[in-house]
Amino acid sequence: PVEVGHRYLPGSQLIEVGGDWYESIALPGARVALVVGDVAGHGVRAAVTMGRLRTAIQTLAMLELPPAESLQQLNELMVVMGAREPHFATCAYAVYDAVRGTCEVASAGHLPPLLVRPSGDSQFLDVSPAPPLGVGEGLVHSRTFEIEDDSLLVLYTDGLVESRDRDIDDGLKRLQAGFGPASATPPCHGRGH
């Protein structure tokens, strides 16, 4: 079984709505689609764009398109929406297959997922990101990784690892250091981002 934990914390109490979102969508064949995205900006405009992307990703997941093709379709949607008012978003899309023990991951300008193995060893998955959605016509590629049982896959947005007073590399190191040997032991409620 796959257990999904999530937590959403706004970066500021002044920001009531924003463009960050996440999805976990059960698929046939003991698979699950895991998605996290971040629309640039804040406020109603970002939230509306986020809502459109969430609706589209749910539809694409139900069509069982691979992660790279799904992000390619989302990019085309963002280009069409951007013809009226330019904007962009980043997104990471993963499909975990519990039968095969694999996870296919694609990224459009998004930070890499963190894989924490049962031993406590962890690594940021080496997924070469395509340009953010709505920015360009770059091809989206995916990579497939083997995932051991009882592993933890951490998807997150840049607000978790980047701030005005902290370099993003330092934030990534702090995130990785926060997951030790006990992190991948269920239950994981409250640990996912």
Side-chain angles (χ1 to χ4, degrees), residues 8-99:
Y8 183 88
L9 293 173
S12 165
Q13 293 182 348
L14 299 176
I15 300 170
E16 296 181 3
V17 292
D20 292 14
W21 89 95
Y22 54 86
E23 294 285 349
S24 58
I25 305 166
L27 301 173
R31 294 175 302 135
V32 60
L34 304 166
V35 188
V36 65
D38 182 4
V39 178
H42 301 288
V44 173
R45 180 170 164 265
V48 168
T49 300
M50 177 266 288
R52 289 176 177 165
L53 290 175
R54 285 186 75 174
T55 300
I57 206 75
Q58 290 167 359
T59 302
L60 294 169
M62 290 300 101
L63 293 173
E64 299 186 54
L65 296 180
E69 191 172 343
S70 293
L71 290 184
Q72 204 79 51
Q73 294 291 329
L74 285 181
N75 183 60
E76 291 178 19
L77 174 63
M78 284 290 286
V79 169
V80 170
M81 289 192 299
R84 294 187 300 272
E85 189 175 3
H87 47 214
F88 69 92
T90 66
C91 186
Y93 189 122
V95 173
Y96 172 67
D97 187 322
V99 174

